Amino acid sequence: MDMESREMFGKIIDRLDKIDNRLDKVENRLDIMEIKQNKMSGQVTEVQLAQKAFELNANKKFARLQDGMDAIEEIFRINKLAR
């Protein structure tokens, strides 16, 4: 192989090495983003579960409040009849 060909192949190899290094950096960044995405997915799931628990608890409390209001209305009705 002549000197000119060696220089050309050397330049090509250098450029490929630079591209390879950049691709390694991109791959590392993608790995980091995947880890962050998995973590955020877990956090979203936790928030969804907390919201469902809140809704269930709130619905129970509203039902109790409505029962209490119904009882008060009944007491008022009975008191009005008694007078």
Side-chain angles (χ1 to χ4, degrees):
M1 185 182 297
D2 64 357
M3 191 64 144
E4 186 179 326
S5 296
R6 285 185 185 187
E7 285 180 22
M8 183 179 68
F9 283 121
K11 288 179 183 180
I12 291 171
I13 290 171
D14 287 343
R15 291 188 81 181
L16 289 175
D17 285 342
K18 289 178 184 177
I19 291 171
D20 192 41
N21 287 337
R22 282 190 243 151
L23 289 175
D24 285 343
K25 288 180 184 178
V26 169
E27 186 177 352
N28 288 338
R29 288 180 181 171
L30 286 174
D31 289 342
I32 290 169
M33 290 195 57
E34 184 178 357
I35 290 168
K36 287 182 178 182
Q37 187 268 337
N38 289 339
K39 183 179 178 182
M40 294 213 43
S41 176
Q43 290 173 339
V44 167
T45 301
E46 288 177 19
V47 168
Q48 289 172 333
L49 289 173
Q51 178 196 5
K52 287 294 182 188
F54 172 79
E55 287 175 5
L56 289 172
N57 192 28
N59 287 339
K60 287 178 184 177
K61 288 185 178 187
F62 287 139
R64 278 193 224 135
L65 180 61
Q66 184 61 50
D67 289 345
M69 293 300 293
D70 291 344
I72 290 171
E73 287 177 0
E74 185 66 21
I75 291 169
F76 284 157
R77 189 183 67 73
I78 289 170
N79 283 339
K80 191 173 184 182
L81 290 176
R83 290 184 184 182

